[in-house]
Every structure is written in structure tokens, then in C-alpha cells.
Amino acid sequence: MANYLDFEKNIKQLDEDITNAKIKGDEAAVAILNKNLSKEITKTYKNLDESQRLALARHPDRPYALDYVRAILNDAKEIHGDRAFRDDPSIVCYLGYIGTQKVVLIAEQKGRGTKYKLMRNFGMPHPEGYRKALRVAKLAEKFELPIIFLIDTPGAYPGIGAEERGQSEAIARNLFEFSSIRTRTIAIVIGEGGSGGALAIGVADRLAMLKNSVFSVISPEGCAAILWSDPSKVSTATAAMKITADQLKGLNLIDDVINEPVMGAHRNKAEAAKLVCDYILKELEILNSLSLDEIIQKRQEKILSIGSFSNE
């Protein structure tokens, strides 16, 4: 059964009307209702605001990292552990093929259902998760394999144990290492890109976002709590923070926006996976045409160009 968001009430009603008309065998009504549904979908999704896109990014049916792994990665072999403390299930690492291209894929996984959400720690990595990511990335560098990062996390885990084991150092280390790692890298925000927890696997030659994903320095709820101490200001914070893919592309903070199926990736996971796969293969073809020295130079130039200031 489909989960509908608040702004999809009219779509939900039309879907129910279509179902009832089919049960009654009223083909004429079904045809009319389908036309109305198509118009309603176009109207609803033409101009989504920031809060609506945030809701889509967090949709419970939205495809998670492992959905993309199963859809686009062939002959996949999972790599476990940071070789220091433990294996963190909130970050998954794979070796496999996308088309004929051998790649290493590193991703954040949220998990569905209470059991798997707890197992994956709601997609909030511990420091050993980031150290696992770095270990696997260094393996990719050794064999000159491209790295694909899939970002989807509310943020790095803020628990006492994580802090004791060096959460901030692990994130900072990844930022430093990934800025100069000698292999081709592509990072894609597939859902929620939260704070340093996302950025820790977000330094890459290409940083893209799915159309209905978000990327922010803090959650809108956290921003509203800090600035206004008022949870009713979440929508205001969401709009002010400029966290959507189109807004970040306009600010030159990301490289590309990957389109989604009209009603969102969760409504057509196969099509969403195909769009992500096509983007990866297209960008890898471009990156493969450049030498590693050119790759590093362009990556570091991009990093240094982020942000602006004024003397006024």
C-alpha cells in the first residue's frame, strides 16, 4: 500500500476513485479519472517547495543505498570492517561492476523496519564506519578503481561512544584523504545528506543530488531549535537554509542534479536506479578520459573555489 504525503491528498483521492471505478468495471470513469490524475500529478509536482522536497527526501518508501546496490551493481561482493574496532552496518562497502566498469561502492544505509533501523543505527555512522569507508577507498586507490559514494544520512552518530572513539577526527580524516585520493570519485546524495555525516563521504570529482534529495549543514529541526527555540519554525528554517538540489546547484555547491520519476524515486525505484546508473556511467566515461594528475588538480581547484567573501 502506497504512503501518501500531506500535499498528495488529491492524488490519493483520485487513486482511490480509480480503484473503485475498476472494481465496478466502469471503464469510462477510469479513463476520465486517469486523465484527471495525470493533471493533478503535474500540478502538484511542478512547483514543490523546500519543505515538500524535504518530505520526499525522507519518504519511508524512498529507495535506500542497498536498493541501488541490488539494482545497478553486478557481481557485488561486500567488504566489512575497519580493521581496528568493528564493522559498522550503517556504512556498506562493495566491489562489483556497473555495466562493464569495475567499481568500489561506499554508501550509507538507513534500514527499514524497527529491527533493521536499529541494526543500521538509522543510517548514522560511527567513526569506525568512516574508517571502514577510508580503508576501502584506499583499496580502490591501490587498484585504480573508481569509487561511487551514495549519501543518505541524518548525520554522524552523536553518542558518547562515538565521540570517545574520535568521531570528529574520523570525519576530518576522510575530508583530508578524499580530497587527494588518486582515483576517480563520484558522490550522489540519494536522500538526506545531513551535516558532516554526509560530507565525510561527499568529497569527490563529481557531487550530484537526486532531484528530491536534500543536503545541509544541520537538520531544519536542529536549525529551528538553535535559532528560534521554536519547533514551529522548521518550515522557515528549511526555506532559509537552501538545502534542495536546485538551490545548491544554483550556488555552485554541487555539480549536477539527477532527475527523478515525476512522483519521486519511491514511486518508481527501477527508473530511479536507471537514472543513477546512467549518470554514473556517463560521468565515469568523462573522468576516464583524464589522467590522474588532471583529476587531482581539477578536484582541488573545485574544492578551493567553494564559497565567496566580500570586503564590503
Side-chain angles (χ1 to χ4, degrees):
M1 183 177 178
N3 289 303
Y4 294 88
L5 299 171
D6 289 343
F7 64 86
E8 297 177 307
K9 289 178 180 177
N10 292 339
I11 294 172
K12 179 182 180 181
Q13 185 60 58
L14 285 167
D15 277 339
E16 290 174 352
D17 291 343
I18 290 169
T19 299
N20 292 332
K22 287 180 178 178
I23 292 172
K24 295 175 182 177
D26 191 344
E27 294 183 5
V30 170
I32 293 171
L33 287 167
N34 275 325
K35 287 182 180 179
N36 291 341
L37 178 62
S38 180
K39 291 178 182 177
E40 185 62 34
I41 288 171
T42 301
K43 174 186 172 184
T44 301
Y45 282 87
K46 187 175 182 181
N47 293 301
L48 295 177
D49 63 28
E50 295 86 357
S51 293
Q52 290 167 336
R53 292 206 185 275
L54 175 64
L56 283 170
R58 293 172 171 175
H59 197 288
D61 296 332
R62 191 171 180 84
Y64 292 154
L66 288 180
D67 296 312
Y68 288 103
V69 168
R70 296 182 187 110
I72 70 176
L73 197 64
N74 301 313
D75 196 22
K77 301 292 188 295
E78 188 169 3
I79 305 172
H80 293 278
D82 69 337
R83 296 297 186 268
F85 184 67
R86 67 162 188 143
D87 184 46
D88 184 354
S90 57
I91 285 190
V92 295
C93 303
Y94 284 87
L95 177 67
Y97 290 86
I98 298 179
T100 59
Q101 174 70 63
K102 184 181 285 188
V103 300
V104 163
L105 187 145
I106 299 171
E108 290 160 326
Q109 171 68 16
K110 285 183 172 179
R112 283 196 175 85
T114 302
K115 176 182 175 180
Y116 291 104
K117 284 179 179 179
L118 290 171
M119 185 187 84
R120 303 286 180 185
N121 201 38
F122 299 87
M124 295 186 290
H126 294 78
E128 53 269 22
Y130 295 120
R131 291 178 179 128
K132 174 170 71 169
L134 180 57
R135 180 180 79 82
V136 174
K138 287 293 186 180
L139 185 69
E141 179 184 44
K142 179 178 179 180
F143 293 101
E144 295 186 10
L145 297 176
I147 304 171
I148 311 301
F149 298 107
L150 300 183
I151 299 168
D152 190 16
T153 179
Y157 184 58
I160 293 175
E163 297 298 337
E164 288 175 341
R165 296 193 299 278
Q167 184 72 287
S168 58
E169 186 279 335
I171 292 172
R173 173 63 57 183
N174 280 17
L175 297 177
F176 175 76
E177 295 286 354
F178 291 156
S179 67
S180 58
I181 195 165
R182 291 186 64 79
T183 191
R184 295 152 181 85
T185 55
I186 297 173
I188 303 173
V189 183
I190 59 172
E192 189 175 9
S195 192
L199 198 59
I201 61 167
V203 178
D205 300 309
R206 296 287 188 274
L207 174 57
M209 293 176 64
L210 283 172
K211 183 78 171 180
N212 295 318
S213 64
V214 296
F215 201 3
S216 62
V217 69
I218 190 174
S219 70
E221 292 83 359
C223 177
I226 292 171
L227 293 185
W228 296 288
S229 300
D230 184 354
S232 68
K233 297 287 187 179
V234 170
S235 294
T236 303
T238 304
M241 289 167 65
K242 301 190 184 302
I243 63 177
T244 67
D246 288 333
Q247 289 172 327
L248 293 170
K249 172 63 176 158
L251 293 169
N252 293 319
L253 293 174
I254 65 169
D255 298 301
D256 297 295
V257 178
I258 303 172
N259 284 322
E260 294 186 26
V262 176
M263 290 181 67
H266 62 288
R267 300 290 187 195
N268 192 338
K269 294 181 182 180
E271 178 63 18
K274 182 180 183 301
L275 291 167
V276 168
C277 183
D278 290 346
Y279 175 81
I280 291 170
L281 292 175
K282 175 174 68 73
E283 293 305 316
L284 281 180
E285 185 176 358
I286 296 171
L287 292 172
N288 285 336
S289 68
L290 302 174
S291 70
L292 283 176
D293 286 337
E294 290 176 304
I295 291 284
I296 302 303
Q297 181 180 349
K298 288 180 179 293
R299 186 191 305 154
Q300 295 189 343
E301 286 174 354
K302 183 178 80 166
I303 293 169
L304 291 172
S305 71
I306 292 173
S308 60
F309 67 93
S310 172
N311 289 323
E312 295 179 3

